[in-house]
Amino acid sequence: MKLRKLFILAVAPMMCLAASAQVATPKKGDLTVAVTAGYNSYTSLSAPAGNLNDYKLQAVSTNWNEKQLMLGIEGGWFFKDLWKATLGGGLSITSNPGYAPVPGTIDENYEKGDGSIPNYGAVANQSELQFNVFTGVDRYFKTKVCGLMPYVGVRVGYAYGQNTAVADDETWMGKSVGESFNVRGAATVGVDYFLTDAFFVGAQVDPFAYTYNMSTYKPQEGLGNLSADSHNFSVLAAPTIKVGFKF
């Protein structure tokens, strides 16, 4: 047993040195591309229906722990040794065609419980645009562990969502619009583990993050906007894992 322990203690440093020789430290000019898995950073707000008598609005939630898991893409550029600029985001466009209403009928047998055909309401013609973008800077640090590089950094991001709707119905007074946008800033800490020169895995979390949201309805043509906003402060927010390549 003692001989086995001595063998492990003797071989482990040599394995680490061999791995270090094979894994080069990222340097100025290197590029990275990673697939990320973390919280959904998009925002959206559905347009309100038709000609209502009462409109109410609450700001869209920006709590990261209420969001669903999302896959994303993150690019990086080492503009200096151990300094990396990051950029990521995404875009989504959806179109839902509208359909005219179909009126029903009522005949003399309606009071007896039959002889009627229900009305089919109009299907609103809707379009939706969503996008988000973020950028940041990370400072990496060398360690004695083979391929392991922790970092600290900052992130700023912007997300926007717009939904428009209009229906061929007398209750709709022109186009209805719902809009929402987020502005986010965060401090970030993480670690990347370079298994080879070209392949790495990593994880990060935001020790502190702030998000501002503005949500707005424009219910009908000719009416003013109805708006609501929110401020979100988070600690140890938005944990993210990543798998990437370095070029």
Side-chain angles (χ1 to χ4, degrees), residues 48 50-51 165-167 169 171-177 218-221:
N51 183 19
V166 63
D169 190 305
T171 64
W172 287 72
M173 305 296 290
K175 183 170 62 176
S176 175
V177 180
K218 185 174 182 180
Q220 306 174 27
E221 299 289 348

Side-chain angles (χ1 to χ4, degrees), residues 24-120:
T25 301
K27 60 185 182 301
K28 181 179 178 180
D30 286 348
L31 300 175
T32 63
V33 176
V35 177
T36 62
Y39 86 109
N40 187 335
S41 55
Y42 285 87
T43 184
S44 65
L45 180 65
S46 297
N51 183 19
L52 302 179
N53 294 323
D54 196 12
Y55 290 100
K56 298 179 181 179
L57 177 62
Q58 183 176 356
V60 173
S61 173
T62 56
N63 295 334
W64 69 269
N65 53 1
E66 295 179 357
K67 302 284 188 175
Q68 295 181 347
L69 183 69
M70 181 187 74
L71 296 179
I73 299 292
E74 178 185 280
W77 170 51
F78 282 88
F79 60 94
K80 291 177 61 177
D81 292 347
L82 302 179
W83 286 87
K84 184 173 79 170
T86 61
L87 179 67
L91 171 69
S92 174
I93 299 175
T94 304
S95 178
N96 299 329
Y99 299 94
V102 179
T105 61
I106 298 177
D107 62 20
E108 66 276 5
N109 295 319
Y110 176 71
E111 295 182 357
K112 299 179 181 180
D114 44 55
S116 65
I117 299 176
N119 295 319
Y120 282 15

Side-chain angles (χ1 to χ4, degrees), residues 104-231:
T105 61
I106 298 177
D107 62 20
E108 66 276 5
N109 295 319
Y110 176 71
E111 295 182 357
K112 299 179 181 180
D114 44 55
S116 65
I117 299 176
N119 295 319
Y120 282 15
V123 176
N125 182 10
Q126 296 192 62
S127 62
E128 185 166 19
L129 168 68
Q130 291 180 306
F131 72 84
N132 83 89
V133 62
F134 69 86
T135 187
V137 175
D138 296 328
R139 169 63 163 93
Y140 280 78
F141 300 92
K142 296 179 181 179
T143 70
K144 296 181 180 180
V145 179
C146 308
L148 191 69
M149 297 190 66
Y151 60 87
V152 297
V154 293
R155 296 284 187 277
V156 292
Y158 178 79
Y160 176 80
Q162 181 190 76
N163 179 255
T164 63
V166 63
D168 183 13
D169 190 305
E170 68 276 3
T171 64
W172 287 72
M173 305 296 290
K175 183 170 62 176
S176 175
V177 180
E179 287 183 304
S180 177
F181 72 83
N182 293 340
V183 178
R184 186 175 190 272
T188 298
V189 296
V191 60
D192 287 344
Y193 182 56
F194 290 84
L195 300 172
T196 70
D197 273 352
F199 180 71
F200 68 94
V201 295
Q204 70 181 43
V205 67
D206 298 339
F208 177 80
Y210 166 75
T211 305
Y212 174 77
N213 171 264
M214 173 65 76
S215 301
T216 302
Y217 278 160
K218 185 174 182 180
Q220 306 174 27
E221 299 289 348
L223 290 184
N225 291 342
L226 173 61
S227 298
D229 59 355
S230 69
H231 304 268

